[in-house]
PDB file of all heavy atoms in Angstrom:
ATOM      1  N   THR A  93      93.712   2.900  34.609  1.00 84.00           N
ATOM      2  CA  THR A  93      92.334   3.332  34.668  1.00 84.00           C
ATOM      3  C   THR A  93      91.468   2.187  34.200  1.00 84.00           C
ATOM      4  O   THR A  93      91.873   1.394  33.356  1.00 84.00           O
ATOM      5  CB  THR A  93      92.082   4.582  33.813  1.00 84.00           C
ATOM      6  OG1 THR A  93      90.680   4.799  33.755  1.00 84.00           O
ATOM      7  CG2 THR A  93      92.624   4.397  32.406  1.00 84.00           C
ATOM      8  N   ARG A  95      88.588   2.882  32.947  1.00 82.00           N
ATOM      9  CA  ARG A  95      87.819   3.463  31.865  1.00 82.00           C
ATOM     10  C   ARG A  95      88.572   3.151  30.572  1.00 82.00           C
ATOM     11  O   ARG A  95      89.795   3.187  30.534  1.00 82.00           O
ATOM     12  CB  ARG A  95      87.753   4.968  32.072  1.00 82.00           C
ATOM     13  CG  ARG A  95      86.598   5.619  31.422  1.00 82.00           C
ATOM     14  CD  ARG A  95      86.622   7.094  31.742  1.00 82.00           C
ATOM     15  NE  ARG A  95      87.052   7.327  33.124  1.00 82.00           N
ATOM     16  CZ  ARG A  95      87.614   8.454  33.521  1.00 82.00           C
ATOM     17  NH1 ARG A  95      87.841   9.436  32.680  1.00 82.00           N
ATOM     18  NH2 ARG A  95      87.957   8.619  34.777  1.00 82.00           N
ATOM     19  N   ASP A 124      93.205  -5.705  52.978  1.00 81.00           N
ATOM     20  CA  ASP A 124      92.363  -6.486  52.080  1.00 81.00           C
ATOM     21  C   ASP A 124      92.938  -6.622  50.669  1.00 81.00           C
ATOM     22  O   ASP A 124      92.424  -6.064  49.728  1.00 81.00           O
ATOM     23  CB  ASP A 124      90.930  -5.945  52.065  1.00 81.00           C
ATOM     24  CG  ASP A 124      90.847  -4.489  51.693  1.00 81.00           C
ATOM     25  OD1 ASP A 124      91.907  -3.874  51.451  1.00 81.00           O
ATOM     26  OD2 ASP A 124      89.745  -3.963  51.618  1.00 81.00           O
ATOM     27  N   ASN A 127      90.055 -10.268  47.447  1.00 91.00           N
ATOM     28  CA  ASN A 127      88.659  -9.868  47.332  1.00 91.00           C
ATOM     29  C   ASN A 127      87.809 -10.694  48.296  1.00 91.00           C
ATOM     30  O   ASN A 127      87.829 -11.925  48.244  1.00 91.00           O
ATOM     31  CB  ASN A 127      88.213 -10.104  45.887  1.00 91.00           C
ATOM     32  CG  ASN A 127      86.941  -9.361  45.570  1.00 91.00           C
ATOM     33  OD1 ASN A 127      86.008  -9.381  46.368  1.00 91.00           O
ATOM     34  ND2 ASN A 127      86.910  -8.698  44.432  1.00 91.00           N
ATOM     35  N   GLU A 134      89.074 -19.423  43.563  1.00 93.00           N
ATOM     36  CA  GLU A 134      88.589 -18.758  42.360  1.00 93.00           C
ATOM     37  C   GLU A 134      89.514 -17.613  41.967  1.00 93.00           C
ATOM     38  O   GLU A 134      89.840 -17.434  40.793  1.00 93.00           O
ATOM     39  CB  GLU A 134      87.169 -18.241  42.575  1.00 93.00           C
ATOM     40  CG  GLU A 134      86.619 -17.551  41.339  1.00 93.00           C
ATOM     41  CD  GLU A 134      85.114 -17.436  41.335  1.00 93.00           C
ATOM     42  OE1 GLU A 134      84.503 -17.734  42.383  1.00 93.00           O
ATOM     43  OE2 GLU A 134      84.561 -17.059  40.303  1.00 93.00           O
ATOM     44  N   ASP A 138      91.533 -17.834  38.498  1.00 94.00           N
ATOM     45  CA  ASP A 138      91.237 -16.814  37.495  1.00 94.00           C
ATOM     46  C   ASP A 138      92.500 -16.240  36.862  1.00 94.00           C
ATOM     47  O   ASP A 138      92.489 -15.810  35.712  1.00 94.00           O
ATOM     48  CB  ASP A 138      90.413 -15.673  38.120  1.00 94.00           C
ATOM     49  CG  ASP A 138      88.932 -15.939  38.008  1.00 94.00           C
ATOM     50  OD1 ASP A 138      88.578 -17.012  37.487  1.00 94.00           O
ATOM     51  OD2 ASP A 138      88.125 -15.089  38.427  1.00 94.00           O
ATOM     52  N   ARG A 143      94.791 -15.043  32.280  1.00 92.00           N
ATOM     53  CA  ARG A 143      96.101 -14.638  31.789  1.00 92.00           C
ATOM     54  C   ARG A 143      96.740 -15.685  30.895  1.00 92.00           C
ATOM     55  O   ARG A 143      97.546 -15.386  30.046  1.00 92.00           O
ATOM     56  CB  ARG A 143      97.045 -14.319  32.965  1.00 92.00           C
ATOM     57  CG  ARG A 143      96.708 -13.070  33.761  1.00 92.00           C
ATOM     58  CD  ARG A 143      96.561 -11.801  32.931  1.00 92.00           C
ATOM     59  NE  ARG A 143      97.601 -11.552  31.941  1.00 92.00           N
ATOM     60  CZ  ARG A 143      98.762 -10.965  32.197  1.00 92.00           C
ATOM     61  NH1 ARG A 143      99.048 -10.567  33.410  1.00 92.00           N
ATOM     62  NH2 ARG A 143      99.635 -10.752  31.232  1.00 92.00           N
TER      63      ARG A 143
ATOM     64  N   LEU B 125      82.782   5.065  37.108  1.00 89.00           N
ATOM     65  CA  LEU B 125      83.977   4.986  36.266  1.00 89.00           C
ATOM     66  C   LEU B 125      84.309   6.346  35.661  1.00 89.00           C
ATOM     67  O   LEU B 125      85.430   6.601  35.266  1.00 89.00           O
ATOM     68  CB  LEU B 125      83.780   3.956  35.147  1.00 89.00           C
ATOM     69  CG  LEU B 125      83.741   2.501  35.610  1.00 89.00           C
ATOM     70  CD1 LEU B 125      83.566   1.579  34.426  1.00 89.00           C
ATOM     71  CD2 LEU B 125      85.012   2.144  36.367  1.00 89.00           C
ATOM     72  N   ARG B 235      89.805   0.125  46.908  1.00 86.00           N
ATOM     73  CA  ARG B 235      90.241  -0.902  47.865  1.00 86.00           C
ATOM     74  C   ARG B 235      91.512  -1.579  47.371  1.00 86.00           C
ATOM     75  O   ARG B 235      91.802  -1.613  46.179  1.00 86.00           O
ATOM     76  CB  ARG B 235      89.136  -1.950  48.046  1.00 86.00           C
ATOM     77  CG  ARG B 235      87.864  -1.388  48.646  1.00 86.00           C
ATOM     78  CD  ARG B 235      87.883  -1.399  50.138  1.00 86.00           C
ATOM     79  NE  ARG B 235      87.933  -2.745  50.686  1.00 86.00           N
ATOM     80  CZ  ARG B 235      86.864  -3.489  50.901  1.00 86.00           C
ATOM     81  NH1 ARG B 235      85.678  -3.041  50.593  1.00 86.00           N
ATOM     82  NH2 ARG B 235      86.987  -4.687  51.434  1.00 86.00           N
ATOM     83  N   ILE B 244      97.654  -7.924  38.575  1.00 92.00           N
ATOM     84  CA  ILE B 244      97.661  -9.251  37.967  1.00 92.00           C
ATOM     85  C   ILE B 244      97.476  -9.132  36.458  1.00 92.00           C
ATOM     86  O   ILE B 244      97.932  -9.979  35.702  1.00 92.00           O
ATOM     87  CB  ILE B 244      96.543 -10.132  38.591  1.00 92.00           C
ATOM     88  CG1 ILE B 244      96.934 -10.522  40.011  1.00 92.00           C
ATOM     89  CG2 ILE B 244      96.288 -11.377  37.758  1.00 92.00           C
ATOM     90  CD1 ILE B 244      95.862 -11.262  40.759  1.00 92.00           C
ATOM     91  N   LYS B 254      83.167  -8.440  37.326  1.00 91.00           N
ATOM     92  CA  LYS B 254      83.162  -9.560  38.261  1.00 91.00           C
ATOM     93  C   LYS B 254      83.647  -9.128  39.643  1.00 91.00           C
ATOM     94  O   LYS B 254      82.897  -9.150  40.610  1.00 91.00           O
ATOM     95  CB  LYS B 254      84.053 -10.686  37.725  1.00 91.00           C
ATOM     96  CG  LYS B 254      84.106 -11.900  38.635  1.00 91.00           C
ATOM     97  CD  LYS B 254      84.844 -13.058  37.973  1.00 91.00           C
ATOM     98  CE  LYS B 254      84.910 -14.252  38.922  1.00 91.00           C
ATOM     99  NZ  LYS B 254      85.611 -15.394  38.327  1.00 91.00           N
ATOM    100  N   TYR B 255      84.897  -8.695  39.696  1.00 93.00           N
ATOM    101  CA  TYR B 255      85.483  -8.450  41.015  1.00 93.00           C
ATOM    102  C   TYR B 255      84.963  -7.182  41.693  1.00 93.00           C
ATOM    103  O   TYR B 255      84.712  -7.175  42.887  1.00 93.00           O
ATOM    104  CB  TYR B 255      87.006  -8.428  40.914  1.00 93.00           C
ATOM    105  CG  TYR B 255      87.577  -9.806  40.757  1.00 93.00           C
ATOM    106  CD1 TYR B 255      88.042 -10.264  39.541  1.00 93.00           C
ATOM    107  CD2 TYR B 255      87.604 -10.672  41.842  1.00 93.00           C
ATOM    108  CE1 TYR B 255      88.542 -11.559  39.398  1.00 93.00           C
ATOM    109  CE2 TYR B 255      88.105 -11.955  41.714  1.00 93.00           C
ATOM    110  CZ  TYR B 255      88.571 -12.396  40.494  1.00 93.00           C
ATOM    111  OH  TYR B 255      89.051 -13.671  40.382  1.00 93.00           O
ATOM    112  N   ASN B 259      81.166  -6.538  44.809  1.00 92.00           N
ATOM    113  CA  ASN B 259      81.354  -5.773  46.041  1.00 92.00           C
ATOM    114  C   ASN B 259      80.469  -4.531  46.073  1.00 92.00           C
ATOM    115  O   ASN B 259      79.904  -4.175  47.100  1.00 92.00           O
ATOM    116  CB  ASN B 259      82.816  -5.345  46.182  1.00 92.00           C
ATOM    117  CG  ASN B 259      83.691  -6.474  46.679  1.00 92.00           C
ATOM    118  OD1 ASN B 259      83.746  -6.730  47.874  1.00 92.00           O
ATOM    119  ND2 ASN B 259      84.338  -7.162  45.760  1.00 92.00           N
TER     120      ASN B 259
END
Side-chain angles (χ1 to χ4, degrees):
Chain A
T93 171
R95 204 178 322 155
D124 56 359
N127 197 315
E134 181 161 10
D138 270 2
R143 291 306 314 276
Chain B
L125 290 181
R235 297 273 296 274
I244 288 174
K254 180 172 179 180
Y255 285 104
N259 281 278

